[in-house]
Amino acid sequence: IKATMIVDKDFKIGEVDKRIYGSFVEHLGRAVYGGIYEKDHSTADPQGFRGDVLELVKGLDVPIVRYPGGNFVSGYNWEDGVGPVEQRPSRLELAWRTIEPNWVGLNEFMDWCKKANTEAMMAVNLGTRGPAEARDLIEYANHPSGTLFSDLRRKHGYEQPHAIKTWCLGNEMDGPWQIGAKTAVEYGRIANETAKVMRWVDPTIELVACGSSSLHMPSFPEWEATVLDLTYDNVDFISLHQYYGNPSNDSANFLALSLGMDSFINTVISTADYVQAKKRSKKKINLSFDEWNVWFHSNEADRKLDPWQIAPPQLEDIYNHEDALVVGCMLISLLKRADRVKMACIAQLVNVIAPIMTANGGAAWKQTIYYPYMHASLFGRGTALVPLIQSPKYDAKDYTDVPYLESVAVHNEEKGEVTIFAVNRNLEESLGLEVDLRSFGGCTLIEHIVLENDDLKAANTLEAPDRVKPHTNGNARVDGSKIEASLSKASWNVVRVK
Ligand code: AHR
């Protein structure tokens, strides 16, 4: 069986904002303590940041990292995390029922961002708190000097402001599990008033309003319409969150779930544009898909954990080969709407539903999902091109007419390269692929990277960290402006030409 694809440099979706390759570090489980930070680790730097983890993060070239939550932020007092560490309080952390020792806070995280060559996407607490505390926080973080909070930052050893540009107005405020959950009207009003004061402190910031916490929330997409109606002029982005899983072990269906992500994105764009029309506004609201991933493997283990521990192993999904394929499909979904999805964060970065795993006091390694995320981040920068695809299809439990080929192309004009990202969803057979690169003239192959495995459930572990990893022996051949390849069953492919 065979699929075809036409890619033309003039059929543009839009510029890829590099921030769609963002990630997320929450004060949750071992994401911070035992993840980015472990002061007694053999690779720890003088601040306690793990060097081995930093190296793996740098390998992903992560442009932005959301912090400090997540559900955590809705009960967080940012003041607990600044100033001398020995004077910081330990707190009951109600979102995840742990003890938060506050060994790492805003200033340390900003130092870590510098070391990781990334920037922060900071969230403010709109669960237990409101505009006043958000104003104080941004004054502390971004105001140069001469005021209570900016001078407090200087007293804490940070003379220069952190100049944090991107801010989230709370987290998943539609979810009953959220500390201080709100109705759309309650949230829209407080988000708007918070946005105003934050912008008055620093007019250069960009603000993200909370959209629905998943596509399956009963209030979606009414929530988006109401929230944007109440915040339109004062925010820049609306957020989307979505996780997928395969609890019933139906892999064909699991691989089809990114079709839901496509329609989620399209519906949020339509809703934002509906509010734009209603307001007769010139302004477009873009999308921040600031939590996405596969999440289900750890659910059972998490239910058995005792509460009130410091950094217990929460949400530690061990990812397998099929999870990496779904992550690949999700990355392609983001690229297919690169015109409006301008930020996105794989959730999360280390240990907690993450591409990077660590052992406390031991090694750090790459999960299967590290690879598609890394390939997209490294090779998916430039202009996303419309994928005109003809593909054989199949029917799955939740979706009919699921194309075996999921694909998109990115043109990096600066480097003169085109990269095709492609997943073959067929679990039994390879898929022939013919790409017509028409307007690109004579091309040559740089490499064809393949992530394949006979065992869909194969995973990387501390003992076998390289069981699933890509190779560059893909069979793509380039003849002039045509690429021909055979995509192995259940595979993730990166075909790079110039
Ligand atoms: O990423 C894990 C959790 O998932 C986040 O804290 C929350 O926002 C979402 O429900």
Side-chain angles (χ1 to χ4, degrees), residues 65-84:
V65 180
R66 188 161 171 254
Y67 176 86
N71 297 340
F72 169 82
V73 81
S74 298
Y76 183 50
N77 292 352
W78 66 268
E79 304 89 331
D80 292 349
V82 296

Side-chain angles (χ1 to χ4, degrees), residues 200-246:
W200 286 333
V201 176
D202 183 350
T204 68
I205 57 173
E206 289 190 312
L207 289 166
V208 185
C210 291
S212 297
S213 50
S214 100
L215 150 74
H216 305 292
M217 294 301 284
S219 50
F220 168 73
E222 192 57 43
W223 173 276
E224 281 74 0
T226 305
V227 166
L228 285 176
D229 202 24
L230 293 168
T231 58
Y232 203 87
D233 291 338
N234 292 313
V235 303
D236 306 285
F237 293 88
I238 182 92
S239 75
L240 298 83
H241 291 182
Q242 188 63 44
Y243 296 99
Y244 291 119
N246 187 13

Side-chain angles (χ1 to χ4, degrees), residues 242-250 253-255 257 293-297 299 317 322-323 326 330 398:
Q242 188 63 44
Y243 296 99
Y244 291 119
N246 187 13
S248 55
N249 196 18
D250 178 348
N253 193 55
F254 184 40
L255 290 182
L257 296 182
N293 202 347
V294 171
W295 172 15
F296 75 107
H297 295 285
N299 294 349
D317 274 36
E322 68 180 11
D323 298 327
V326 172
M330 294 178 91
D398 295 329

Side-chain angles (χ1 to χ4, degrees), residues 182-424:
K182 295 181 171 40
T183 66
V185 172
E186 287 167 346
Y187 171 67
R189 290 286 303 123
I190 199 172
N192 193 51
E193 295 310 310
T194 306
K196 279 162 53 186
V197 296
M198 290 179 75
R199 281 194 196 286
W200 286 333
V201 176
D202 183 350
T204 68
I205 57 173
E206 289 190 312
L207 289 166
V208 185
C210 291
S212 297
S213 50
S214 100
L215 150 74
H216 305 292
M217 294 301 284
S219 50
F220 168 73
E222 192 57 43
W223 173 276
E224 281 74 0
T226 305
V227 166
L228 285 176
D229 202 24
L230 293 168
T231 58
Y232 203 87
D233 291 338
N234 292 313
V235 303
D236 306 285
F237 293 88
I238 182 92
S239 75
L240 298 83
H241 291 182
Q242 188 63 44
Y243 296 99
Y244 291 119
N246 187 13
S248 55
N249 196 18
D250 178 348
S251 301
N253 193 55
F254 184 40
L255 290 182
L257 296 182
S258 65
L259 270 61
M261 185 163 174
D262 294 334
S263 77
F264 189 18
I265 292 172
N266 290 334
T267 306
V268 175
I269 292 171
S270 305
T271 308
D273 291 351
Y274 155 76
V275 181
Q276 180 190 11
K278 195 171 156 190
K279 299 210 171 266
R280 278 87 173 123
S281 172
K282 277 185 175 169
K283 175 178 170 184
K284 282 239 179 276
I285 297 288
N286 282 323
L287 276 53
S288 172
F289 212 125
D290 47 43
E291 285 188 36
W292 67 270
N293 202 347
V294 171
W295 172 15
F296 75 107
H297 295 285
S298 56
N299 294 349
E300 206 45 48
D302 284 344
R303 278 190 274 274
K304 296 187 190 127
L305 284 171
D306 290 331
W308 317 131
Q309 304 179 57
I310 295 177
Q314 291 170 311
L315 281 64
E316 298 206 354
D317 274 36
I318 302 302
Y319 291 112
N320 58 33
H321 178 63
E322 68 180 11
D323 298 327
L325 301 181
V326 172
V327 161
C329 289
M330 294 178 91
L331 285 158
I332 293 171
S333 292
L334 297 172
L335 283 166
K336 286 193 296 189
R337 287 316 306 254
D339 55 328
R340 295 296 291 278
V341 181
K342 293 293 178 188
M343 287 198 290
C345 304
I346 190 170
Q348 300 192 9
L349 188 57
V350 190
N351 290 329
V352 171
I353 43 174
I356 299 168
M357 284 302 292
T358 71
N360 287 345
W365 67 98
K366 298 170 182 168
Q367 295 237 51
T368 60
I369 63 169
Y370 185 96
Y371 295 106
Y373 175 39
M374 175 185 78
H375 295 147
S377 177
L378 298 186
F379 306 126
R381 301 190 186 204
T383 305
L385 302 177
V386 179
L388 293 167
I389 289 175
Q390 304 259 19
S391 168
K393 296 177 174 163
Y394 68 101
D395 290 342
K397 182 166 74 57
D398 295 329
Y399 293 95
T400 46
D401 284 339
V402 182
Y404 282 120
L405 176 68
E406 190 60 73
S407 186
V408 73
V410 178
H411 181 201
N412 187 323
E413 291 168 33
E414 239 167 70
K415 293 190 174 159
E417 292 178 12
V418 181
T419 300
I420 317 276
F421 298 106
V423 172
N424 176 9

